[in-house]
Amino acid sequence: MSEPAATPEPAATPEPAAARGDQAALTARAADLDARDPLAKVRERFTLDEVTYLDGNSLGALPSGVGPRLLDVIEREWGSLRIRSWDQSGWWQAPERIGDRVGALIGAAPGQVVVGDSTSVNVFKAVVAAARLAGPERDEILVDEATFPTDGYIATAAARLTGHTVRPVAAPAMADAVGPRTAVALVNHVDYRTGRLHDLPGTTAAAHAAGAVAVWDLCHSAGALPVGLDAHGVDLAVGCTYKFLNGGPGSPAYLYVRRDLQPRFDSPLPGWTSHADPFGMAAGYTPADGATRGRVGTPDILSMMALDAALDVWDGVAVEQVRDKSLALTDFFLDCVAALVPAGQVEPVTPAAHAERGSQISLRHPRAGAVMTELIRRGVVGDHRRPDILRFGFTPLYTRYADVLRAARVLGEVVR
């Protein structure tokens, strides 16, 4: 969300003729790209309006099937079947079943992802469990120094509980920083401020070579690009589902536990639904097999069913297609900004190299809050991060090249 800020003074400088010429060429290019877009029809699976929505990296748009599905859950599954729905409607198995659907989008074979709780809670489970997996001789937790704040807060709390110390490290330097004292490396796959994509395969391999456990936060990559958890041997991973997975505000997060680690995954939150015999109500705790060990309490069925319906938009869509369009959208946006925004007004901070770019573009402007407020007033929705970052998130399932062009054009008008 963007913080309130004063609206800038209306622009008085007329648009240069060169910019008008550039805009004509870019309009033709956008039309051609949209006409050839293999994902163009997927946009019809969402409830959208005329607003140019480039904030899917904070909250994805509403998939059209969610409303009818929730109505059925409320009126039939809850309203008529009531408690019978735990069996007859598959409520009890939902965390694992939906977890497998998420797993397919992040490169995890079935049986390794469980949906439930928030990202914050799952970070806590993963970091504490990873520290226990690493063994008592290791006393250090490395944390991405630019991490989303909650990850740092929770890593610090987990370190206090487990007797470890936290050492902040720049994510690109993480592979070189892991050593014999390192128990856990907690890294964001994509930086939430800059949109920089970090080296998941290389950092994971370096952690393993040093005997450490790698934990990845996928909040800004899942649903935007291939992750390849199994292919790259990632130990543990967490992520939210309300950004590029479009699961809705506050939708449940997920936890990935690599299959061979599951028998040794020692959750710090052993709830009744992760018990081997949850309805036996035994006084002692015996963990269930598999990813179910990551469960804690009663599943949040309404939001979980909304997520389940939201994932239907992925039918017939390959993550590789999404990545191709993501890079094309962000390339086009950078070209549009270069052509239509007066020189020197904004500075891209997202890497130009495809291998280092997620699915957002961040631009630096000294009055980012005020600029974003005016953009939103004019129907272009992104967000900003203090003090000076404008963020634009590109969800390839519903973002058009024409949307990208409009955003850059309005940005040029605002800053001019």
Side-chain angles (χ1 to χ4, degrees), residues 2-11 50-55 333 337 340-342 345-346 361-365 367-385 388-394 403-416:
S2 295
E3 298 179 4
T7 301
E9 292 298 319
E50 295 308 308
V51 167
T52 298
Y53 189 69
L54 299 181
D55 207 11
F333 182 66
V337 168
L340 303 177
V341 177
Q345 287 292 317
V346 296
I361 295 294
S362 293
L363 305 173
R364 179 169 286 120
H365 188 279
R367 300 180 64 228
V371 169
M372 185 54 68
T373 296
E374 179 64 9
L375 285 171
I376 292 171
R377 189 185 72 80
R378 298 187 188 202
V380 175
V381 178
D383 65 15
H384 85 282
R385 287 293 176 263
D388 58 358
I389 297 295
L390 297 162
R391 297 197 316 169
F392 300 92
F394 299 84
D403 300 325
V404 171
L405 173 58
R406 177 170 185 259
R409 176 179 59 78
V410 176
L411 175 62
E413 294 171 357
V414 170
V415 301
R416 184 176 293 115

Side-chain angles (χ1 to χ4, degrees), residues 209-240:
V213 178
V215 179
W216 286 91
D217 183 328
L218 309 178
C219 284
H220 287 266
S221 59
L225 53 91
V227 177
L229 293 180
D230 287 351
H232 301 305
V234 169
D235 303 302
L236 303 168
V238 303
C240 65

Side-chain angles (χ1 to χ4, degrees), residues 112 130 133 208 213-214 233-236 256-266 290 293:
Q112 299 175 102
L133 284 168
H208 290 169
V213 178
V234 169
D235 303 302
L236 303 168
Y256 164 87
V257 183
R258 199 178 71 219
R259 192 180 310 280
D260 62 300
L261 295 180
Q262 291 172 0
R264 296 190 291 127
F265 180 81
D266 185 6
R293 289 188 177 207

Side-chain angles (χ1 to χ4, degrees), residues 64-143:
S64 303
V66 171
R69 175 72 173 106
L70 277 182
L71 185 63
D72 181 63
V73 171
I74 291 168
E75 293 188 345
R76 182 180 63 85
E77 296 183 5
W78 180 13
S80 297
L81 293 175
R82 292 179 288 275
I83 199 160
R84 291 168 290 176
S85 273
W86 286 106
D87 291 324
Q88 295 181 29
S89 300
W91 286 0
W92 185 259
Q93 297 81 19
E96 291 81 11
R97 178 178 60 81
I98 302 172
D100 286 344
R101 299 190 72 185
V102 173
L105 300 176
I106 55 177
Q112 299 175 102
V113 178
V114 63
V115 167
D117 303 312
S118 66
T119 307
S120 303
V121 172
N122 284 323
V123 169
F124 178 73
K125 296 178 202 171
V127 172
V128 173
R132 292 171 175 173
L133 284 168
E137 69 280 3
R138 295 172 176 266
D139 62 357
E140 179 181 72
I141 297 173
L142 303 185
V143 177

